Amino acid sequence: MLNRVIAEDNIQKAKKLVLNYDKVVIVTHLAPDGDALGSSLGLYHFMMELGKEVQVIVPNDYPAFLHWMPGSKSIVNAEWHKKSSEAAIADADLIFCLDFNILKRSFQLENPIRQSKAKKILIDHHLNPETFADVTISHPEISSTSELIFRFICRMGMYEYVNKPCAECIYTGMMTDTGAFTFNSNSPAIYYIISELLQKGIDKDAIYSRIYNQCAEGRVRLQGYVLYEKMKIFYGYKTSLITLSEEEHLRFKPERGDTEGFVNIPLSMGNIVFSAFIREDRDVVRISLRSKGNFPTNQFAAEVYGGGGHLNASGGEFYGKLEDAVKKFEEALPAYKHLLE
Ligand code: 5GP
Ligand code: MN
């Protein structure tokens, strides 16, 4: 039996909404990742099984290595279909907000969601959720929103409506948010859930391969370049920093999401506990932070860049020059030395 995590009154309130409303919209955060899409499409397949009218809306495009996901073709990208996505949100009677804690993370969908008369259910695992929804299911102790979707469905007593595509999406989100079960993945319940998903017919090895073994040549060469040429190590701080300008990135035929995972690689060194990747991305500089052990990357992200995230994985944005974002990083580091011993 799966242990109970979501509060019973939240399950009951949400179940009532699920049973009573038919026009369902599912939204997730900007730059959707495997868990954002896994939870959204997992819930999509479940709702379709229930016979609902369902629309998944994303604020912008997502990496090519996620395009295979079942249901992906039915997703509406709000960047390309502004009017129809806003109309769907206004017209919905139930909106699920998945894998983000504050509405700002849904970017241009924030106001349409606030203004919609639809009932709202938030399901997420980031700290400090904004309380805009009718039901807030927020569990930072759970490693993925996709796991929460599985738990949510089971607790409503609807496990039988989890079909194979639903199970594949949920597995994808659980896998990608734990680095293929290499961090935040010590809970025995994770493996209980995986065994349930296997019963639904998923091929977990094939899913791993679709996510991690489909890189373009440019990405693999870019990885070599950033590690060999661009990685700086701050030995006194057990910290590494990789920076990448847009001009450098362009040399490698860039694709969306092709720098994903680079930030994790320096942590494979025994003497590194904090890794940063700072990348110029058109009009914004994106900061990705990772750590192993107790170093609070989310505190660093919040204090230095006004960003946020989890203890070991967080990020932020910087509006300005790449050099200034890097300077900010280097100047901030000494204040965190006591946490990097
Ligand atoms: P990534 O490095 O993969 O872009 O982001 C890792 C995690 O950091 C995300 O799952 C999210 O929780 C958090 N994160 C990334 N960028 C931002 C940001 O700009 N603001 C906040 N609040 N969190 C972010
Ligand atoms: Mn997530």
Side-chain angles (χ1 to χ4, degrees):
M1 259 282 282
L2 193 54
N3 63 326
R4 291 185 157 211
V5 166
I6 305 171
E8 186 58 27
D9 64 323
N10 269 346
I11 294 286
Q12 291 313 325
K13 277 191 270 178
K15 185 173 178 178
K16 220 181 210 172
L17 298 177
V18 167
L19 293 176
N20 287 342
Y21 293 107
D22 288 326
K23 249 190 258 174
V24 180
V25 162
I26 299 169
V27 293
T28 189
H29 58 77
L30 189 72
D33 58 9
D35 188 34
L37 290 178
S39 55
S40 298
L41 289 172
L43 186 66
Y44 166 83
H45 290 293
F46 165 75
M47 288 287 173
M48 293 293 280
E49 258 326 89
L50 285 186
K52 307 286 180 186
E53 193 184 309
V54 202
Q55 183 64 68
V56 176
I57 301 176
V58 294
N60 64 350
D61 199 12
Y62 47 90
F65 66 82
L66 296 171
H67 283 176
W68 65 271
M69 290 182 74
S72 160
K73 286 192 176 63
S74 69
I75 293 175
V76 170
N77 179 334
E79 200 174 31
W80 303 333
H81 304 281
K82 184 171 185 288
K83 274 205 178 128
S84 60
S85 53
E86 286 180 1
I89 288 170
D91 199 35
D93 43 36
L94 181 58
I95 298 176
F96 280 92
C97 296
L98 303 186
D99 202 38
F100 62 84
N101 54 348
I102 49 172
L103 265 178
K104 195 175 135 237
R105 296 275 295 146
S106 70
F107 201 54
Q108 81 275 43
L109 302 175
E110 173 176 0
N111 284 330
I113 295 171
R114 284 197 200 284
Q115 283 154 16
S116 172
K117 285 190 271 308
K119 296 286 183 192
K120 288 149 204 162
I121 300 177
L122 175 127
I123 304 182
D124 177 50
H125 68 140
H126 296 89
L127 292 168
N128 310 321
E130 179 184 341
T131 51
F132 65 89
D134 298 277
V135 183
T136 302
I137 297 175
S138 167
H139 290 275
E141 76 280 18
I142 297 297
S143 57
S144 64
T145 300
S146 298
E147 175 179 339
L148 284 171
I149 293 296
F150 184 82
R151 289 175 171 280
F152 174 59
I153 295 171
C154 290
R155 287 285 299 288
M156 290 194 295
M158 297 180 176
Y159 173 76
E160 68 199 271
Y161 293 95
V162 175
N163 56 18
K164 185 175 165 188
C166 171
E168 288 173 330
C169 294
I170 288 173
Y171 183 78
T172 302
M174 290 176 66
M175 181 184 78
T176 53
D177 256 21
T178 57
F181 309 103
T182 60
F183 51 81
N184 292 338
S185 56
N186 281 330
S187 152
I190 290 176
Y191 304 93
Y192 177 86
I193 295 171
I194 293 173
S195 107
E196 298 276 78
L197 299 174
L198 288 165
Q199 303 276 359
K200 296 285 183 181
I202 68 163
D203 180 341
K204 65 181 266 307
D205 301 346
I207 293 175
Y208 178 94
S209 217
R210 279 187 214 127
I211 295 286
Y212 295 110
N213 297 337
Q214 299 294 337
C215 299
E217 178 186 341
R219 179 199 146 105
V220 177
R221 291 194 186 278
L222 177 61
Q223 178 170 323
Y225 172 72
V226 297
L227 293 176
Y228 190 63
E229 303 272 354
K230 304 300 315 262
M231 182 175 70
K232 181 167 173 182
I233 296 190
F234 301 83
Y235 291 96
Y237 298 94
K238 298 184 176 171
T239 293
S240 75
L241 168 66
I242 298 172
T243 57
L244 184 66
S245 71
E246 195 169 21
E247 184 271 314
E248 288 170 308
H249 197 177
L250 285 172
R251 285 185 229 155
F252 293 86
K253 297 202 182 95
E255 282 178 16
R256 187 178 287 271
D258 66 359
T259 59
E260 206 138 313
F262 287 179
V263 64
N264 295 308
I265 302 172
L267 293 178
S268 64
M269 287 181 278
N271 60 339
I272 299 296
V273 299
F274 179 34
S275 167
F277 179 62
I278 304 183
R279 171 173 69 95
E280 199 176 31
D281 183 15
R282 280 181 288 181
D283 49 349
V284 66
V285 178
R286 297 198 183 280
I287 295 100
S288 273
L289 306 174
R290 298 291 186 273
S291 70
K292 55 191 190 211
N294 297 323
F295 183 74
T297 63
N298 47 0
Q299 186 188 332
F300 190 98
E303 290 173 354
V304 181
Y305 297 107
H310 314 273
L311 186 82
N312 296 125
S314 59
E317 294 170 343
F318 178 84
Y319 288 89
K321 285 193 193 137
L322 177 65
E323 307 89 86
D324 293 333
V326 171
K327 196 164 162 231
K328 218 167 173 189
F329 181 88
E330 296 189 353
E331 285 175 358
L333 207 49
Y336 295 84
K337 191 169 176 29
H338 63 291
L339 297 169
L340 289 161
E341 312 268 71

